[in-house]
Amino acid sequence: MSGPRIFDQQHYALLNRARGEVVTRLLSELKGPLDLRTAVDVGCGVGHFSAVLQSMGFEVTGVDGRRENVEEAARRNPKVAFHTNSVEDPKLRSLGTFDLTFCFGLLYHLENPLLAVRQLHAMTKTLLLAEAVIYPGDEPVMALIDEEIHEDQGLEHIAFYPTEACLIKMFYRVGFGCVYRFRQQPNHSDYSRAPGTRRVRTMLAASAVRLKSNQLALAEEPSSVTRPWEAQIGEMTVTAAQKLRRFASKPLPDKVKSIQRIIKER
């Protein structure tokens, strides 16, 4: 491969720095109380976060679907065991279970994200940390997207992109008892809204039991207000109670923006 690797380019460096600050802050708080010792980095790329986790004292296993990524990750992190495997392959479970399952930048690159989430749940003893690009919208839905043909995209270059609500619902439905939003998302423009833009990414946590951390806010399982089998769908079939439940499920900053938008429209 000629030239610098795409994961070493400046925009990834800035993104990883912002994500890493949030990750290390949370894991520094939870690692001891939850007795987190082993970690699997699923979709590890060239091993950036595998190295971060190892530096925090985890026994780390890295997995990626591209052999060239695994070879480079192993070169950079000789003390980490790396494997080539797709998160959608049932053989992934043969790696065993881990105190921490780490999955950043992967779940939106897949043909079968719910299957992948089932895999992650099966491998997780205690805590899952996940980060993803999210499709716009408040309902738990996905959109099938043609991806660009680059080394940082999915293996098949067509993927279902879930909304944040869809990710949360999938985590609950595969068996996680609690799903959390981060109260403070990474300090990067992809995780915030500005005039004329939307939030592109989210970071979530899931666990079997309740976590004690001021950094996390429990998210309720979302429900869909659309009934595809009915002739009239969308807002025409949304009752006042359904609208209220959907509003209540939003994080506080989104509630404030919704209220501001309503006031402005009036």
Side-chain angles (χ1 to χ4, degrees):
M1 184 180 296
S2 61
R5 292 178 178 271
I6 194 166
F7 293 112
D8 293 328
Q9 294 179 5
Q10 180 67 9
H11 70 281
Y12 270 112
L14 294 173
L15 180 63
N16 284 336
R17 184 180 304 123
R19 296 191 291 191
E21 290 173 354
V22 176
V23 167
T24 54
R25 186 165 59 243
L26 180 69
L27 291 180
S28 295
E29 177 187 6
L30 295 181
K31 187 175 185 295
L34 295 180
D35 194 25
L36 303 176
R37 302 182 184 184
T38 61
V40 61
D41 184 4
V42 181
C44 64
V46 295
H48 174 82
F49 282 106
S50 298
V52 171
L53 294 172
Q54 186 186 44
S55 72
M56 297 187 71
F58 285 93
E59 178 186 336
V60 183
T61 299
V63 184
D64 198 87
R66 286 190 167 90
R67 182 173 297 279
E68 58 270 26
N69 285 345
V70 168
E71 291 173 350
E72 178 62 16
R75 186 189 69 79
R76 299 183 184 193
N77 305 279
K79 294 183 180 180
V80 175
F82 289 99
H83 304 266
T84 303
N85 210 327
S86 167
V87 68
E88 296 173 276
D89 185 347
K91 293 179 182 178
L92 182 70
R93 299 190 187 190
S94 66
L95 294 177
T97 57
F98 301 84
D99 301 326
L100 169 67
T101 299
F102 192 91
C103 185
F104 274 31
L106 177 62
L107 292 175
Y108 55 98
H109 287 312
L110 306 173
E111 291 184 349
N112 304 288
L114 181 55
L115 171 62
V117 172
R118 290 191 190 281
Q119 301 268 79
L120 298 178
H121 176 256
M123 299 175 73
T124 304
K125 289 182 181 178
T126 305
L127 176 65
L128 166 71
L129 295 183
E131 187 271 357
V133 169
I134 50 176
Y135 193 76
D138 297 324
E139 288 205 65
V141 298
M142 301 184 206
L144 188 60
I145 303 296
D146 289 305
E147 293 192 315
E148 297 175 347
I149 301 178
H150 291 305
E151 65 208 68
D152 62 342
Q153 301 298 294
L155 297 176
E156 303 300 333
H157 307 295
I158 186 167
F160 275 105
Y161 277 55
T163 61
E164 182 187 67
C166 187
L167 283 173
I168 293 171
K169 191 173 189 70
M170 286 193 290
F171 292 155
Y172 274 117
R173 286 307 177 101
V174 301
F176 286 106
C178 301
V179 183
Y180 298 88
R181 294 184 177 93
F182 281 72
R183 294 186 185 276
Q184 183 177 348
Q185 291 278 334
N187 184 22
H188 187 282
S189 59
D190 279 1
Y191 299 89
S192 61
R193 292 175 177 171
T197 69
R198 67 175 184 86
R199 184 163 59 98
V200 174
R201 293 177 176 269
T202 191
M203 190 180 294
L204 300 167
S207 63
V209 297
R210 285 226 175 204
L211 301 175
K212 295 180 180 179
S213 173
N214 291 330
Q215 300 179 55
L216 301 173
L218 186 66
E220 295 183 0
E221 181 180 341
S223 60
S224 175
V225 297
T226 300
R227 298 294 180 262
W229 52 86
E230 296 179 356
Q232 291 182 322
I233 63 174
E235 290 297 324
M236 294 178 65
T237 62
V238 179
T239 67
Q242 289 171 330
K243 288 182 179 180
L244 183 59
R245 285 197 297 271
R246 187 169 66 182
F247 176 79
S249 68
K250 293 182 177 181
L252 181 59
D254 289 351
K255 290 178 182 176
V256 172
K257 290 177 182 178
S258 294
I259 294 172
Q260 290 173 336
R261 184 173 63 254
I262 292 170
I263 294 174
K264 184 177 180 180
E265 290 174 353
R266 292 187 176 184

